[in-house]
Amino acid sequence: MNIIVQKYGGTSVENKEKLEKVCNNIINYRSNKKRELVVVVSAQGNTTDTLLKKAKEYSITQNKRDLDLLLSTGEIQTASLLSMMLNDKGYEAVALTGEQAGILSDTTYGNATIKCIYPNNILNHLKNSKIVIVAGFQAVDKLGNITTLGRGGSDLSAVAIACALKAKRCEIYSDIDGIYSADPRIIPKAKLLKNISYSEMLEAASAGAKVLHNRSVNVGKKNKMSIIVKNSQQKSQGSTINEDKKDFIERVKSNNDFEDYSIKFITKKDDISKICIVGDMVMSNKEAIIKIFNIAYEENVTIFMISFSELAINLIVEKEKSINFMKRLHDELILDTNEK
Ligand code: ADP
Ligand code: ASP
Ligand code: MG
């Protein structure tokens, strides 16, 4: 099969008008080229944030399992609406949840890791000439619990599905013309990058460039899946993420500059906090260091940066998880030790 996977992000599906554009894009694609199409969608506009806010209003503890179930509904709504709109226009489509699409993950609610994808259901629908619409950002664990893949996770769903289906490429449609040398909303003079390597994009995405989920770039890199970022609202050449070697060849071809050390990208990370753990000779306190990493693991905290000195360990973590993480560090590094 000659499969293409397309992903439409939150702003590209935020209302009926935008979804009409997505329908036209899909229909044009289908009529021009006889290719099977799988479309992954995000929740409309700010739906995920609104659901998170709602959960906070209704519940103090926000049970992680049920929160993921709630959040997964955003993407399911978009998939169902888009499929119904395509069917209205005479194009046979079918909407699938992440589970129905065969995406199996571990049970790390809020930031689950994809374990494998069973693509049979998608393939059967494609064989019956259906356009398959998949709700992004979600999976199911082996016990049937619905999980989510981390904020911005629909990119990951799309690239992972593309790899599992051995698709020709994965097209990521967003609200910008492609990948720029910096966030064009902060730096309007930023340059559109025609090509960028997986390694450079992975570094930039991990350091805060929201345009692609970092794990989606990693999955693409491992499976050599061609990823193209384009504008969903207007025609754009877009940006292609290439293998490092291919990117290098493209550069050499275009400017004949064999040793090219040009700077490609500048980005920043928002919503992070620095936690400082102070204690005499803390750098050599192995028991404390093991505890810090264990707590980070149990609380699903990503440590973006760490520095050691004889007196302090400094950690940079997500702001959202920092208070809880600090409480646990305090309980186990200070209270527990003093009680002994
Ligand atoms: P979507 O909802 O389509 O997934 P996102 O909001 O997650 O879209 O990502 C697109 C946004 O990423 C852009 O609107 C832009 O502000 C931001 N962005 C940050 N860095 C870059 C960059 N280097 N190039 C392009 N966009 C960037
Ligand atoms: N809706 C989810 C989020 O807002 C996933 C995504 O858009 O990719 O994070
Ligand atoms: Mg996104």
Side-chain angles (χ1 to χ4, degrees):
M1 273 195 227
N2 211 350
I3 305 169
I4 299 287
V5 175
Q6 295 185 339
K7 178 252 166 180
Y8 292 89
T11 40
S12 306
V13 295
E14 69 186 343
N15 51 37
K16 192 171 172 221
E17 209 185 323
K18 295 259 182 96
L19 274 178
E20 289 286 358
K21 277 215 154 146
V22 171
C23 283
N24 289 341
N25 218 7
I26 292 172
I27 291 167
N28 275 341
Y29 199 88
R30 272 290 281 236
S31 24
N32 290 344
K33 299 162 195 137
K34 292 272 163 277
R35 279 186 179 155
E36 287 81 13
L37 198 54
V38 176
V39 179
V40 175
V41 287
S42 287
Q44 292 184 283
N46 296 326
T47 304
T48 309
D49 288 328
T50 308
L51 289 172
L52 275 168
K53 235 166 98 191
K54 198 164 187 177
K56 273 195 188 137
E57 274 169 31
Y58 282 63
S59 155
I60 300 159
T61 53
Q62 295 156 53
N63 171 279
K64 286 180 180 169
R65 177 197 176 276
D66 298 341
L67 182 63
D68 265 13
L69 187 60
L70 177 71
L71 295 185
S72 71
T73 61
E75 271 69 12
I76 296 172
Q77 283 182 38
T78 317
S80 317
L81 291 169
L82 180 60
S83 176
M84 287 193 279
M85 287 168 81
L86 284 165
N87 279 298
D88 282 354
K89 294 175 196 300
Y91 290 83
E92 276 192 84
V94 60
L96 302 177
T97 64
E99 178 181 13
Q100 290 170 332
I103 307 175
L104 192 79
S105 74
D106 66 9
T107 315
T108 316
Y109 295 118
N111 197 25
T113 303
I114 297 178
K115 290 286 167 201
C116 54
I117 298 184
Y118 298 101
N120 280 358
N121 199 16
I122 297 184
L123 287 170
N124 284 339
H125 285 300
L126 290 177
K127 273 180 203 145
N128 290 326
S129 300
K130 297 262 169 65
I131 301 167
V132 178
I133 318 288
V134 181
F137 179 53
Q138 56 190 268
V140 65
D141 76 359
K142 60 176 190 270
L143 296 175
N145 300 300
I146 302 301
T147 59
T148 63
L149 304 174
R151 295 306 304 266
S154 299
D155 296 332
L156 176 60
S157 310
V159 177
I161 288 172
C163 296
L165 295 172
K166 298 191 172 51
K168 276 246 158 310
R169 62 175 180 273
C170 182
E171 300 175 346
I172 305 280
Y173 286 91
S174 191
D175 56 353
I176 27 103
D177 281 351
I179 300 164
Y180 287 80
S181 51
D183 186 341
R185 303 204 188 283
I186 303 172
I187 310 212
K189 282 187 187 162
K191 285 192 325 192
L192 184 68
L193 304 170
K194 241 173 77 187
N195 292 288
I196 183 165
S197 70
Y198 289 119
S199 303
E200 287 166 328
M201 192 60 229
L202 183 56
E203 191 67 39
S206 302
K210 199 180 155 202
V211 60
L212 276 176
H213 190 285
N214 60 349
R215 282 156 55 204
S216 73
V217 184
N218 197 38
V219 169
K221 178 181 174 150
K222 274 185 12 194
N223 293 279
K224 297 191 172 134
M225 175 54 59
S226 172
I227 303 173
I228 299 167
V229 178
K230 283 184 173 180
N231 196 323
S232 63
Q233 300 300 299
Q234 62 200 41
K235 267 207 160 27
S236 67
Q237 189 187 20
S239 306
T240 304
I241 307 177
N242 283 322
E243 282 171 62
D244 298 8
K245 200 172 134 199
K246 208 166 156 196
D247 185 60
F248 176 69
I249 293 167
E250 289 291 328
R251 283 194 217 180
V252 172
K253 265 201 279 182
S254 62
N255 57 16
N256 225 1
D257 198 355
F258 202 82
E259 279 197 76
D260 178 4
Y261 302 120
S262 56
I263 305 290
K264 201 112 200 219
F265 220 101
I266 299 183
T267 189
K268 71 176 178 64
K269 198 162 190 71
D270 298 323
D271 299 328
I272 50 176
S273 287
K274 190 175 97 172
I275 293 181
C276 183
I277 301 161
V278 181
D280 218 8
M281 298 300 286
V282 68
M283 194 164 84
S284 318
N285 187 341
K286 295 191 184 72
E287 202 185 324
I289 292 169
I290 289 170
K291 273 189 186 170
I292 294 167
F293 283 105
N294 278 343
I295 297 168
Y297 172 74
E298 284 163 22
E299 296 295 325
N300 189 23
V301 168
T302 306
I303 299 172
F304 296 110
M305 236 178 243
I306 185 161
S307 76
F308 290 93
S309 75
E310 292 302 355
L311 254 189
I313 298 177
N314 286 294
L315 304 165
I316 296 192
V317 299
E318 293 145 277
K319 196 175 201 162
E320 202 194 335
K321 294 184 181 163
S322 62
I323 304 271
N324 210 23
F325 186 42
M326 211 172 87
K327 275 187 194 150
R328 283 220 42 205
L329 289 170
H330 185 266
D331 282 355
E332 293 181 37
L333 294 175
I334 297 177
L335 298 185
D336 281 4
T337 336
N338 290 351
E339 275 162 17
K340 274 183 197 161

